Amino acid sequence: MTDAREVTLKEVMDDDWDRVIALRRTEGDDRLVASNACSLAETRINIHATALAICAAGEVVGFLMYERLAEEGRPNAYSIFRLMVDARHRGRGIARAAIRHVIDRLMNDPKLELISICYVADNAAARNLYGSLGFKEIGLDEDGEMIAEFRP
Ligand SMILES: CC(C)(COP(=O)(O)OP(=O)(O)OC[C@H]1O[C@@H](n2cnc3c(N)ncnc32)[C@H](O)[C@@H]1OP(=O)(O)O)[C@@H](O)C(=O)NCCC(=O)NCCS
């Protein structure tokens, strides 16, 4: 199991795009998470989004994105809307360590209201992962995806 201290988050710069796009996916992933190329392209138009490479042992092993919900009039609420770990590195505690780091980072906002996430309702890995970190499922959104929230 990976120690959370061995996992770091790094803002994705233009130089990192190739490594993020090259992260290995499994066949079933397309149903669960958008392609990293599409997500990176989105950073060009969504000024509230932050794209982070998940790194372990000097290697990029995953990718996540979150955004501040400023457009919705909730500048102290955040949504983690992308998360994936390279298929060769799954099951080692990397996603849990990465989300813990994101929670710590967002807790720096003294007015932090909530962190929300949503995932395909039958995504057991996402449900277990976020549930173990204190996210509570609150129901399905209009697309049938599960919404879960973390409140400090
Ligand atoms: C979901 C995902 C990010 C988990 O990454 P990971 O680094 O393998 O997860 P971790 O090793 O940190 O696991 C943390 C917890 O998540 C849960 N979990 C992870 N993989 C699981 C699986 N295949 N089945 C059930 N629970 C799982 C477990 O509760 C696990 O804790 P445990 O090992 O103590 O039982 C990864 O499987 C992935 O990239 N999946 C495809 C994309 C996706 O579903 N993204 C999330 C929704 S956007």
Side-chain angles (χ1 to χ4, degrees):
M1 197 55 62
T2 308
D3 189 312
R5 287 165 299 188
E6 294 168 26
V7 174
T8 55
L9 300 178
K10 176 189 182 299
E11 307 270 341
V12 175
M13 301 296 172
D14 289 358
D15 285 356
D16 302 312
W17 278 42
D18 286 351
R19 276 178 295 170
V20 170
I21 290 169
L23 289 170
R24 195 85 59 89
R25 299 162 69 92
T26 66
E27 228 172 76
D29 284 4
D30 290 350
R31 197 174 69 81
L32 304 174
V33 67
S35 81
N36 291 348
C38 286
S39 297
L40 288 169
E42 198 178 328
T43 62
R44 293 287 195 242
I45 49 171
N46 183 349
I47 57 164
H48 299 295
T50 299
L52 297 171
I54 304 170
C55 304
E59 208 184 320
V60 175
V61 295
F63 172 69
L64 66 85
M65 284 174 75
Y66 69 84
E67 67 180 334
R68 203 156 69 89
L69 300 177
E71 299 287 338
E72 297 171 26
R74 303 173 78 185
N76 304 103
Y78 300 82
S79 163
I80 300 171
F81 64 101
R82 295 288 145 67
L83 169 67
M84 64 84 65
V85 168
D86 184 295
R88 293 163 293 189
H89 294 276
R90 290 182 191 172
R92 293 171 43 200
I94 289 172
R96 180 180 283 136
I99 297 300
R100 279 204 177 116
H101 286 314
V102 173
I103 292 172
D104 287 348
R105 178 187 257 253
L106 297 181
M107 292 279 236
N108 285 327
D109 176 348
K111 293 185 181 162
L112 176 66
E113 179 194 337
L114 66 82
I115 304 169
S116 74
I117 42 128
C118 84
Y119 47 81
V120 173
D122 66 357
N123 187 343
R127 176 185 302 115
N128 294 341
L129 165 69
Y130 287 112
S132 75
L133 289 167
F135 284 79
K136 304 269 182 269
E137 291 189 336
I138 61 156
L140 302 177
D141 68 11
E142 64 275 12
D143 300 320
E145 296 212 341
M146 179 58 70
I147 304 170
E149 292 181 347
F150 174 95
R151 288 178 187 268

